Each structure stands twice: as C-alpha cells, then as structure tokens.
C-alpha cells in the first residue's frame, strides 16, 4: 500500500516512522516533511493547503491512502475535497470531514456540541462584536480567573486567562472590537475556569466504533516547573499515572461514547483522530477542548506505545471495520523531551547545524523543525527535535531522554529537564 502523509512536524515523523514498520507498506511520501521523514520515505514539496496539487500527486502516483497530520487542511476541508472528485473519492483520507473538524475549528461549535450531547464541560456563553456589552456584563457575574477563547483557529494562541476583571474586560474588548486574533476572534467563548489537573485522551474513530489510544500529559510552558510562555508543547508523558482505570472508565462513559454517538446523531461521518483535552476536577473529567488530529508532541509519546500495525488500524477506519482490528499497547512509560531553538516561543533563528543525532542510544529521535542543507541537517523551526524513551517508570524514561538530549548540539539549544517530574511526586489517586 502506498501512503501519503500530510505535514512537516514531529507528529508526522512519528507517523512516518510507525507506518514504515508495517510489512504492508509499499511507498511512503510526506508532503512537505522534514529531515526525519526523509529517512522513512520521500518528501514531496507540496503545501498541506494546496489541495489541487495534493490531489494531482495522489492520482499521478497511485497513492492508496492519505494521512493528515495538522488541523489546518482538515478544518479547510481536505476530506471533502477528495469526496467531491470521482477519482479521488476512492482514496481514503484519514482525518475528519470539514463538519467534523469544526470540533477544533470553532470553539462555539464544540461547546454547542457538548451542550447538545450532555458532555461535561465548563459553563460558557459566546459573544460577538454586537453583543460586546453583554459580554462585559457577563464577566461581572463570574469569579476570577476568567477564560476567554477566540472561536476560530489562532495557532494555539487564542485562549487567554486574565486574573482580574479589568484585564478580562480589556481582553474581551481587544478580541471582539479590535479583532486581536483577526477573523478567529469575531466570536469569543467566555467560560468558567476549571480547577484541576490536565491530561489528554486520544481516540481513533471510523464513524461507528472507536479505539481509545494511550493517554498523555503534555507540558506547554517554556520553563521548568511549568513557568513562562506557552509553547506548542515541550514534552509529554504516557501513560498518565492519575488516569487510572476508574478515571478512564468515567472518560469513556461520560465523554467518549457521547462524543461518538453525538457525531452520528448530528450526521457527521467522522473518520480520524479525536484529541480530547481534559481537566480532572476532583476525580471527574471535563472537556477543555477537542482537536481533530493527534497532538504534537503527544504523537511522539503515544505512537511508540502502540504495538499494532498502524496501516491495519487506518484501513479499519477507512472501511469502517475498526472494531475488528487488533489493538495492543506497550505497558511501559514513554517520556518525550522536546529540543527547541533559542528564543522560542518568541523570535528564533533557523539554519543552525545540528550534530550528535547519531550519538543517541536507547531513545527514539523524531525531527520536528529540521531541514537538509547540503549534507547537513539544520534547524528549521521553533521545535527542533523530540527525543522519546521508554522505561519502567517516568523517572527512568525521562532520565534517558535528558541524557540523550545532552548529546545533541546546535546553537541556542534548549530543553526542559523536568518533564514528568510533577507526576512522580503527585499522590494518587488524584481526587
Ligand atoms: P485550549 O486551547 O482550549 O486547549 O486552551 C489552552 C489552555 O488553557 C488549556 O490547555 C488549559 O490549560 C487552559 N484552559 C482552557 N480552558 C480552561 C478552563 N475552562 N479552565 C481552566 N483552564 C482552561
Ligand atoms: N500539544 C498540543 C497540541 O498538539 O495541540
């Protein structure tokens, strides 16, 4: 089977690495890919948003399946683009249709969806420019901190959590009246602040049945001890120790089943990943957000724990026979440490030569922001490399990832040495 992966980050290298292990793989292409994906298949220089070029490539190369990594092409309708063509509709796209991708593409849509299907989430109201005054009054009825979310995609920056009423009012005004996030903040969801500890659960669905993939916890802040600016993710741990069987049963019963049933009831044929961001509040799960794709770096943490053949699972998604697919996981713990460019998540430079990758032993290396320059691999993004280790405990896996991270050199290299540390000292069960 010949497969095309869309995207260019650590997530897509992890998909390429896993798919390349399948005896069923013929040729593997990645558009546009990075230096790491080039080790697993052939990179093709096509933008994930250029559906016409992607379609032409798929037909010219007789591709049998397209796996979509990032949210942008899904929210913009790559699935529907394939469905609208007699020739392309025969090629399965792993990733939801445009209507399903709205779970991530519109916070207001996802909140309405949860309300309609009685899925636990923070109480909320949505405001637009014409209802700004009502929004300001609504803020006065809440207690701090305040949670403001731009409705549309805002490159992970659209959620603001001011701690004073004054700041919350200024922020809501900036988002609605001054279009702080452009069209993405034409509507703003204002919601209740949930107190608890976060984790993510990943589900693969064929529109009828589903598989619950390993849970993960990611570390979003740049600094150790979860301090400083938000990033795309500085590392992740899987499984999450406080997501024990009892908690995961609540997640499945109260959230996953109603989500899959809700999509069916709403007539949305969802074939792809659902990434559910959760808050564990006193032992009860609440949905913070849905994403219509896998997480990054969570994919680099979760996929190494999946033992089953990914092509089999994807074929199950395409033919709606996922319930008949084998699915098993590695019980060990995976810890991913992300190496980033100096200055990230602010301004950072690109083009620095990366050395030491061949020195790494006992861990997996996934390329995120890298490219080839002549015979060298150079930095090409804020998040540069992800190092994942499997171990019998968080501390064992984390120490190995950190030890290997030390061996990599490039100008401005930075990484967190404390990924998973908070979970080691947490008392269980978290209530
Ligand atoms: P989102 O983009 O929706 O994941 O939000 C970004 C981050 O904001 C989340 O990972 C949480 O840490 C935080 N957050 C979002 N919604 C809430 C909420 N209702 N209560 C507390 N924290 C929240
Ligand atoms: N690591 C968070 C995300 O992929 O959205």
């Amino acid at each position: 089977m010949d497969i095309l992966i869309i995207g260019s980050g650590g997530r897509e290298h992890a998909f390429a690495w896993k798919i390349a292990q399948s005896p069923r793989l013929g040729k593997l292409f990645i558009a546009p890919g990075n230096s790491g994906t080039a080790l697993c298949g052939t990179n093709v220089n096509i933008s994930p948003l250029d559906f016409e070029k992607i379609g032409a490539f798929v037909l010219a190369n007789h591709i049998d399946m397209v796996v979509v990594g990032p949210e942008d092409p899904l929210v913009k309708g790559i699935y529907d683009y394939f469905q609208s063509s007699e020739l392309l509709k025969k090629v399965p796209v792993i990733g939801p249709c445009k209507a399903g991708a709205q779970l991530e593409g519109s916070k207001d849509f996802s909140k309405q969806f949860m309300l309609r299907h009685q899925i636990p989430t923070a109480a909320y109201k949505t405001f637009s420019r014409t209802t700004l005054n009502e929004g300001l009054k609504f803020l006065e009825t809440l207690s701090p901190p305040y949670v403001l979310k731009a409705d549309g995609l805002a490159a992970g920056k659209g959620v603001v959590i001011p701690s004073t009423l004054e700041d919350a009012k200024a922020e809501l005004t900036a988002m609605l009246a001054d279009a702080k996030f452009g069209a993405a903040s034409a509507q703003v969801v204002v919601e209740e602040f949930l107190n608890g500890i976060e984790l993510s659960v990943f589900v693969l669905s064929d529109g009828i049945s589903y598989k619950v993939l390993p849970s993960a916890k990611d570390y979003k802040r740049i600094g150790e001890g979860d301090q400083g600016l938000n990033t795309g993710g500085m590392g992740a741990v899987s499984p999450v120790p406080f997501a024990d069987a009892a908690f995961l049963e609540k997640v499945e019963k109260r959230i996953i089943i109603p989500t899959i049933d809700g999509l069916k009831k709403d007539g949305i044929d969802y074939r792809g990943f659902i990434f559910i961001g959760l808050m564990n509040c006193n032992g009860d799960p609440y949905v913070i957000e849905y994403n219509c794709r896998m997480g990054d770096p969570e994919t680099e943490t979760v996929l190494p724990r999946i033992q089953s053949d990914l092509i089999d699972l994807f074929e199950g998604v395409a033919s709606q026979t996922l319930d008949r697919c084998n699915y098993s996981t590695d019980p060990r713990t995976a810890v991913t440490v992300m190496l980033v460019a100096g200055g990230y998540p602010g301004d950072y430079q690109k083009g620095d030569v990366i050395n030491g990758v061949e020195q790494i032993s006992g861990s997996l290396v996934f390329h995120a922001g890298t490219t080839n320059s002549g015979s060298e691999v150079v930095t090409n993004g804020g998040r540069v490399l992800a190092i994942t280790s499997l171990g019998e405990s968080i501390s064992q896996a984390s120490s190995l990832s950190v030890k290997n991270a030390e061996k990599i050199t490039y100008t401005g290299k930075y990484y967190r040495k404390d990924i998973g540390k908070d979970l080691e000292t947490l008392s269980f069960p978290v209530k």
Side-chain angles (χ1 to χ4, degrees):
M1 176 172 291
D2 295 348
I3 295 182
L4 171 66
I5 298 174
I6 307 287
S8 61
R11 168 182 48 212
E12 287 74 23
H13 184 190
F15 275 133
W17 164 82
K18 180 75 179 148
I19 286 171
Q21 288 167 33
S22 171
R24 303 188 50 210
L25 181 68
K27 289 193 199 119
L28 180 63
F29 297 95
I30 309 93
N34 60 33
S35 290
T37 60
L39 304 171
C40 312
T42 307
N43 288 346
V44 275
N45 191 16
I46 302 178
S47 154
L49 294 178
D50 194 338
F51 298 167
E52 261 179 47
K53 271 203 186 140
I54 291 172
F57 181 85
V58 163
L59 294 178
N61 292 278
H62 311 288
I63 298 293
D64 300 299
M65 177 182 282
V66 178
V67 178
V68 186
E71 64 277 18
D72 244 12
L74 293 166
V75 171
K76 296 204 166 86
I78 190 167
Y79 182 98
D80 309 66
Y81 178 83
F82 271 60
Q83 284 298 304
S84 68
S85 149
E86 276 314 311
L87 291 172
L88 287 173
K89 75 183 343 169
K90 297 182 189 115
V91 183
V93 173
I94 306 303
C97 55
K98 193 172 181 176
Q102 286 301 296
L103 282 183
E104 176 166 2
S106 165
K107 301 270 186 206
D108 180 56
F109 174 91
S110 77
K111 294 299 279 191
Q112 287 192 37
F113 176 87
M114 288 184 261
L115 203 64
R116 189 159 63 243
H117 302 294
Q118 286 102 45
I119 295 165
T121 188
Y124 82 105
K125 275 194 175 168
T126 301
F127 301 96
S128 63
R129 198 180 175 132
T130 53
T131 56
L132 171 60
N133 282 336
E134 286 165 45
L136 297 173
K137 285 206 188 85
F138 180 64
L139 284 172
E140 288 172 9
T141 69
L142 302 176
S143 38
Y146 305 86
V147 182
L148 278 59
K149 299 184 171 181
D151 176 56
L153 291 184
K157 300 199 170 76
V159 177
V160 188
I161 308 189
S163 49
T164 68
L165 181 60
E166 197 187 347
D167 288 351
K169 285 185 168 179
E171 190 61 45
L172 186 65
T173 307
M175 282 165 115
L176 288 176
D178 310 332
K180 180 175 173 184
F181 297 107
S185 65
Q187 288 196 97
V188 174
V189 167
V190 178
E191 68 178 37
E192 166 200 18
F193 182 82
L194 296 172
N195 241 318
I197 177 157
E198 279 183 72
L199 73 152
S200 301
V201 168
F202 304 92
V203 178
L204 181 63
S205 174
D206 65 3
I208 300 170
S209 65
Y210 61 88
K211 299 275 188 227
V212 183
L213 309 180
S215 60
K217 183 178 189 299
D218 78 335
Y219 292 77
K220 291 202 173 81
R221 303 293 183 122
I222 187 73
E224 299 198 350
D226 257 323
Q227 303 293 317
L229 294 174
N230 246 325
T231 71
M234 295 295 293
V237 173
S238 174
V240 183
F242 63 81
D244 57 13
F247 180 77
L248 288 175
E249 199 183 305
K250 288 184 196 171
V251 172
E252 186 158 12
K253 217 161 116 191
R254 298 179 194 173
I255 293 167
I256 296 173
I257 294 173
T259 298
I260 301 293
D261 286 349
L263 288 165
K264 271 189 244 167
K265 280 183 203 151
D266 292 349
I268 297 173
D269 183 12
Y270 197 109
R271 304 194 196 187
F273 292 100
I274 311 176
F275 162 162
I276 311 177
L278 295 171
M279 191 72 88
N280 175 341
C281 304
N282 295 317
D284 288 320
Y286 289 81
V287 177
I288 296 179
E289 63 164 349
Y290 288 110
N291 293 310
C292 61
R293 53 172 171 90
M294 281 298 289
D296 194 349
E298 293 90 331
T299 310
E300 294 95 297
T301 321
V302 164
L303 284 190
R305 294 196 53 234
I306 296 180
Q307 290 164 326
S308 322
D309 187 312
L310 206 54
I311 296 185
D312 285 348
L313 288 170
F314 286 164
E315 225 176 30
V317 168
S319 59
Q320 296 193 302
T321 54
L322 192 56
D323 57 336
R324 283 184 244 148
C325 291
N326 283 325
Y327 173 68
S328 63
T329 55
D330 186 327
R332 288 178 298 166
T333 292
V335 174
T336 302
V337 170
M338 190 59 91
L339 279 66
V340 304
Y344 174 80
D347 291 339
Y348 54 85
Q349 60 182 43
K350 294 181 182 177
D352 290 312
V353 177
I354 302 169
N355 281 309
V357 175
E358 67 294 338
Q359 306 289 325
I360 293 207
S361 63
S363 299
L364 299 160
V365 184
F366 298 113
H367 291 234
T370 67
T371 191
N372 291 334
S373 171
S375 60
E376 297 182 308
V377 176
V378 300
T379 63
N380 193 39
R383 293 191 292 171
V384 177
L385 293 171
I387 299 186
T388 298
S389 311
L390 288 158
E392 298 307 322
S393 64
I394 293 177
S395 70
Q396 200 187 69
S398 173
S399 318
L400 185 55
S401 288
V402 168
K403 197 172 128 204
N404 277 319
E406 284 163 9
K407 298 179 186 164
I408 304 280
T409 58
Y410 60 85
T411 308
K413 177 185 80 167
Y414 172 76
Y415 59 95
R416 279 180 61 171
K417 298 186 184 74
D418 67 336
I419 302 301
K421 280 261 172 342
D422 57 330
L423 296 175
E424 289 172 45
T425 52
L426 211 64
S427 54
F428 300 106
V430 174
K431 277 269 158 49

